[in-house]
Amino acid sequence: VASQSWGEWQFEIDSPLVKGSSVLKADNSPVVMTLDYVHMPPAEQSPPALTAGATSADVLVQFRKVLDNDSLKDMAPADLLPMDVEIGEFFMGGWNLGSWKLTTRPQADGLHVNIAEGLMKGMTITGDMYWTLGDWGHRTRIEGLQIRGKDLAEVQKAFRQDVIVEGKSFKAGINLDWMGSPLAFNSYSLDGQASVRIDNGTWKTEGGGALKAFGMLNFNSISRRLQLDFSDLYQSGVAF
């Protein structure tokens, strides 16, 4: 449903995938989107990991497949509209990934996305993402991403994971950069730093179970995290 008044357009959306409103102002102000919920399909599976004997040619072939299959490869991020977005509930597949407040602002060479606040399963997430397009193609940079929480055990339970590490509070800082759009995350061109601090932490298991605590940080699963895919956390086994 759409209505117009004094040059301002308001759209009401009510579907199984998206419900909410969008306001397109008469001037150059950002589009305001206030959404009750967004339902997205499950994240696509990441490409298979290369074996230990893979050659540089194998890596290049796999990397090229990632870029060729990038669903955003033909999009110019600088052409996207500036938006102020609030999402009450964001679902991906069967996962409720919480509420989000973010802004998008086009720049000369791309798009700046600021995550003002993400509240997901006991975690608070803030940070910035820069998606650029230049002579060498698309590039994505995550800068100053902060993830904070107060009960690490409850966060693990929220992701249907056995409690392996307890902690009164935790904080993670992430800075990452890769070639490709935000949806073309890949370990082949990945560069950056990540840090994790757990206060008053306690191991609750030993051996293989302890290794599973680091499963969220291995290269095979980082791409799942950035695509908001946590399905492997409740499946048996972990690559490390």
Side-chain angles (χ1 to χ4, degrees):
V1 178
S3 60
Q4 190 263 353
S5 177
W6 298 100
E8 179 177 291
W9 284 91
Q10 180 162 338
F11 301 87
E12 297 292 336
I13 309 166
D14 191 351
S15 75
L17 297 180
V18 181
K19 181 179 180 180
S21 64
S22 176
V23 178
L24 184 62
K25 298 182 181 296
D27 55 18
N28 292 324
S29 300
V31 176
V32 178
M33 299 189 70
T34 306
L35 305 176
D36 296 336
Y37 59 74
V38 173
H39 286 265
M40 298 291 290
E44 295 182 2
Q45 290 188 347
S46 305
L50 295 172
T51 62
T55 66
S56 57
D58 295 329
V59 173
L60 184 59
V61 168
Q62 193 75 349
F63 177 43
R64 176 51 59 186
K65 286 182 179 179
V66 172
L67 297 184
D68 288 343
N69 293 330
D70 183 2
S71 59
L72 300 180
K73 65 181 180 181
D74 296 323
M75 184 174 292
D79 293 340
L80 298 177
L81 293 174
M83 294 188 292
D84 295 341
V85 183
E86 291 192 19
I87 303 174
E89 290 183 299
F90 180 73
F91 293 85
M92 180 166 285
W95 288 89
N96 184 338
L97 299 179
S99 63
W100 295 83
K101 296 179 181 179
L102 55 90
T103 63
T104 67
R105 296 293 186 270
Q107 299 179 329
D109 60 348
L111 186 73
H112 171 211
V113 179
N114 172 254
I115 303 173
E117 183 181 64
L119 301 176
M120 179 172 65
K121 298 186 182 297
M123 299 183 294
T124 299
I125 303 169
T126 60
D128 295 277
M129 184 188 75
Y130 297 87
W131 172 18
T132 59
L133 178 60
D135 294 338
W136 293 92
H138 292 276
R139 194 166 196 94
T140 301
R141 184 173 84 254
I142 292 178
E143 190 172 287
L145 188 70
Q146 297 288 324
I147 304 174
R148 296 181 174 87
K150 290 188 176 181
D151 191 332
L152 185 55
E154 290 301 315
V155 171
Q156 292 167 88
K157 292 177 183 177
F159 284 109
R160 306 173 193 171
Q161 183 184 13
D162 294 336
V163 176
I164 298 170
V165 183
E166 289 184 342
K168 181 180 180 181
S169 63
F170 62 92
K171 178 172 66 174
I174 300 173
N175 293 282
L176 293 177
D177 181 281
W178 65 89
M179 293 181 65
S181 81
L183 296 185
F185 177 88
N186 62 89
S187 60
Y188 314 116
S189 63
L190 181 66
D191 186 26
Q193 296 178 328
S195 63
V196 180
R197 177 186 174 90
I198 301 173
D199 293 326
N200 298 329
T202 304
W203 288 106
K204 302 300 292 183
T205 188
E206 298 178 355
L211 288 178
K212 192 171 182 180
F214 295 100
M216 293 183 70
L217 300 179
N218 71 67
F219 280 124
N220 291 338
S221 59
I222 284 180
S223 59
R224 295 190 184 98
R225 307 296 170 251
L226 292 181
Q227 294 175 35
L228 302 178
D229 178 7
F230 299 89
S231 59
D232 59 308
L233 291 182
Y234 57 88
Q235 297 170 351
S236 62
V238 61
F240 181 77

